[in-house]
Amino acid sequence: MQENFETKLENQFVEFIQAEMQQDLAHDMNHVFRVVKTAKTLCEREEASLEIVLPAAYLHDCFSFPKNHPERAKSSQVAADKAVEFLASIGYPSQYFEAIHHAIVAHSFSANIKPETLEAQIVQDADRLDALGAIGIARCIQVSSNLGVSLYDAQDPFSTGRELNDRKYTIDHFYTKLFKLKDTMNTVSAKVEAEKRTHYMEAYLEQLGTEI
């Protein structure tokens, strides 16, 4: 992509997202910008098509059902449909539509759809990396606090003698989901970054343990 053309497109993507995206504590414009930044880096390292990765990364959350909605798993399908419709309206090259659509559908954890292309793998990796590291810790605590979830069980904070329950304790979510994400990464570059971010989170829990 030529630099000026890319900047113009990004401005259009941001304008669309700001108008359409239902933002919450875990999925806001800053989340989008971080996913785009990571996706660009992965795209360059993995030698993928930016023409597919860029719009998919920007538009991946242009629609989402509320977190506890019964059709939450269908959010990425609706988002993909909306994204392609928008791209068609601004004259984006239609030969990329199918690949962009798939990348957006497959990014979702709850949809449980395997990314079949390198570009879809990159968008999924970029989105999941944003749930790890320093940002991952902050997002987890923000969302849990908003739902009225306690940080930890005072009697057994790291669940050594009880079943994990991330609906009651924030720290449990590290074990039920977040620490497992590194094993779901697709690209080599994302695997390396996920390991680094996961180690940071493990160190956080070690420090937390010494304080409580």
Side-chain angles (χ1 to χ4, degrees):
M1 287 186 180
Q2 294 179 349
E3 187 173 345
N4 290 339
F5 180 58
E6 182 180 325
T7 300
K8 180 182 178 182
L9 278 174
E10 291 190 74
N11 289 337
Q12 289 178 296
F13 296 160
V14 169
E15 185 178 342
F16 176 74
I17 280 290
Q18 287 177 328
E20 296 290 328
M21 185 178 177
Q22 297 173 322
Q23 300 187 43
D24 57 40
L25 289 171
H27 301 90
D28 57 8
M29 287 305 300
N30 287 329
H31 166 69
V32 172
F33 292 140
R34 290 192 303 268
V35 170
V36 169
K37 177 178 179 289
T38 301
K40 284 182 177 180
T41 300
L42 295 178
C43 189
E44 182 176 354
R45 291 176 180 172
E46 301 292 332
E47 299 182 351
S49 171
L50 190 62
E51 289 82 1
I52 297 167
V53 170
L54 189 68
Y58 264 109
L59 306 176
H60 74 281
D61 277 339
C62 67
F63 176 86
S64 62
F65 287 110
K67 192 170 184 64
N68 296 322
H69 194 283
E71 295 192 321
R72 174 77 173 181
K74 297 180 180 179
S75 291
S76 64
Q77 178 69 50
V78 179
D81 292 344
K82 286 187 66 172
V84 168
E85 183 180 343
F86 163 69
L87 291 171
S89 75
I90 63 171
Y92 199 81
S94 60
Q95 67 263 33
Y96 300 119
F97 286 178
E98 184 176 352
I100 293 168
H101 190 279
H102 171 64
I104 294 175
V105 171
H107 93 272
S108 170
F109 189 89
S110 57
N112 195 28
I113 294 172
K114 182 180 179 181
E116 300 291 346
T117 65
L118 175 59
E119 290 75 19
Q121 290 175 352
I122 286 171
V123 174
Q124 186 186 87
D125 285 351
D127 185 61
R128 293 186 180 185
L129 281 170
D130 204 52
L132 298 176
I135 284 292
I137 294 170
R139 290 177 73 201
C140 183
I141 293 174
Q142 277 186 307
V143 173
S144 295
S145 297
N146 190 54
L147 294 173
V149 176
S150 299
L151 182 60
Y152 59 87
D153 177 2
Q155 303 303 317
D156 188 1
F158 302 112
S159 190
T160 57
R162 62 174 176 80
E163 290 188 10
L164 292 167
N165 187 348
D166 58 4
R167 293 191 175 188
K168 289 185 68 176
Y169 307 113
T170 303
I171 296 306
D172 287 21
H173 192 60
F174 285 52
Y175 298 102
T176 59
K177 180 179 179 181
L178 302 183
F179 284 156
K180 297 176 182 179
L181 289 178
K182 64 182 177 61
D183 296 324
T184 72
M185 297 296 160
N186 303 284
T187 62
V188 173
S189 301
K191 289 177 188 293
V192 172
E193 182 64 22
E195 283 287 347
K196 183 171 68 175
R197 296 190 186 196
T198 300
H199 287 323
Y200 181 91
M201 299 173 79
E202 289 169 345
Y204 166 77
L205 290 190
E206 288 181 15
Q207 177 63 26
L208 180 66
T210 66
E211 295 179 14
I212 62 176

